[in-house]
Amino acid sequence: MFVELQLRATLVNIESFIAEGEDFRWYIKIKCSNCGEVPEHFVYVSGDESSDVKGGRGTANLVAKCKMCSRENSMSIVGWVATAADSGASYTEVDLGEKEWCDYDENEDREVGIYDLSHQFKTTKS
């Protein structure tokens, strides 16, 4: 089972908006996807750390074994990079903490931005 982050936003003069980056750390509460156990403590996950996933299924930024049922749970995180339409200018420090972001594309002499951001987490099988 996977957890997807689905985003919806209004893009102004933005050609692409992609996940990228390795310079942040999130402290989260996790829940075992098998037995539902929720440990009392927070764990951190960071884009610049990775561990092998059991069974040779690649790597993940967080790999945690459930103390209750011994199942291995994993997740990866990503940051955001925006690319301006027409000029191709890249903006690597896109902070969506306020649910919007804007900057100025000097090459095209115009605003670039991401507005009206909404999100949802959804579980999927792939």
Side-chain angles (χ1 to χ4, degrees), residues 10-65:
T10 301
L11 304 179
V12 175
N13 298 315
I14 295 291
E15 179 178 296
S16 68
F17 177 50
I18 61 171
E20 189 173 271
E22 300 178 351
D23 59 348
F24 48 91
R25 181 182 280 194
W26 291 356
Y27 287 87
I28 59 172
K29 281 275 194 172
I30 58 174
K31 178 179 180 180
C32 179
S33 61
N34 186 51
C35 71
E37 174 70 13
V38 178
E40 290 185 26
H41 62 281
F42 283 85
V43 297
Y44 79 86
V45 58
S46 174
D48 62 354
E49 296 179 13
S50 65
S51 300
D52 292 330
V53 177
K54 188 168 95 175
R57 297 183 319 210
T59 62
N61 297 122
L62 172 67
V63 177
K65 187 174 183 179

Side-chain angles (χ1 to χ4, degrees), residues 12-14 82 84 89-94 100-106 109-115:
V12 175
N13 298 315
I14 295 291
S90 182
Y91 302 89
T92 58
E93 296 184 23
V94 176
E100 65 180 38
W101 166 87
C102 66
D103 208 316
Y104 188 76
D105 183 349
E106 293 179 8
D109 193 31
R110 64 184 181 191
E111 167 196 16
V112 292
I114 300 168
Y115 301 98

